[in-house]
Amino acid sequence: MLLEKIISTIDAIENVQISDERKRVLQPLIDFIQGKVSTNNNINLNFICTHNSRRSHLSQVWAQVAAHYFNVKNVYCYSGGTEATALFPMAAKALELAGLKVNNLSDGNNPVYSIKYAENEHPIIAFSKTYDNEFNPKSEFAAIMTCNNADVGCPFIPGAEKRIPVKYDDPKAFDNTPQQAEKYTERSNQIASEMLYVFSQIKL
């Protein structure tokens, strides 16, 4: 069972209209997941951005939440960057505001977070890492490119079965502005609504 506040967030955003253009962007991801479900295989999704600090983490977390919400089993979501930096605190805060339990497990230049979305599920361990880090799968995964720089800069992801661009605008543009919190929540909600749409399309 998802944490109660997450269900409230989902109730608020689930009926957000997704444009036909975005549905076309998301269709290859739906097809990849459906293919794995139909053949009873694990679904490994690695969300990749340049710094693994904002969009890739938001996508990883919301995809895992959406899979749980729609009861799609054997979904394992990961994230990585073309370089490692740190999970940006406002991205973690946006998830917390949406109802996830975010705990800081370690400090330093690249803190490690535990992000819990359901009482009886393992929390997501979140920290910035490269896409080929030991924490991530080496083969049989879809590489979902969440930013343009990573998509252009990484023409080849070793081990990826499929490469799927699902790009989002970077909320970093609003760092240190009065709109920062609002824009991070907006991006988190957009990603959440699209991941919910993706998993709502899967036929079990």
Side-chain angles (χ1 to χ4, degrees), residues 40-44 72-76:
N40 205 26
N41 281 306
N42 285 351
I43 302 149
N44 296 314
V72 183
K73 304 292 189 190
N74 304 320
V75 176
Y76 304 96

Side-chain angles (χ1 to χ4, degrees), residues 16-28 30 190 194 197 201:
V16 169
Q17 285 299 111
I18 293 169
S19 70
D20 289 342
E21 182 188 351
R22 285 305 287 179
K23 285 180 179 177
R24 282 192 290 274
V25 168
L26 296 166
Q27 192 59 49
I30 295 167
Q190 180 201 2
E194 293 194 350
Y197 167 74
Q201 300 303 296

Side-chain angles (χ1 to χ4, degrees), residues 49-59 87-95 146-148 167-191:
C49 202
T50 308
H51 299 120
N52 191 211
S53 58
R54 295 169 177 81
R55 290 165 286 179
S56 47
H57 273 112
L58 292 172
S59 301
L87 172 55
F88 192 67
M90 196 65 225
K93 186 67 181 172
L95 291 169
T146 61
C147 77
N148 198 54
K167 298 172 196 172
Y168 294 102
D169 291 339
D170 195 350
K172 181 182 181 179
F174 296 92
D175 286 359
N176 305 311
T177 73
Q179 303 110 295
Q180 178 176 279
E182 175 197 343
K183 291 298 181 181
Y184 273 80
T185 293
E186 191 179 285
R187 187 63 59 243
S188 176
N189 285 349
Q190 180 201 2
I191 292 171

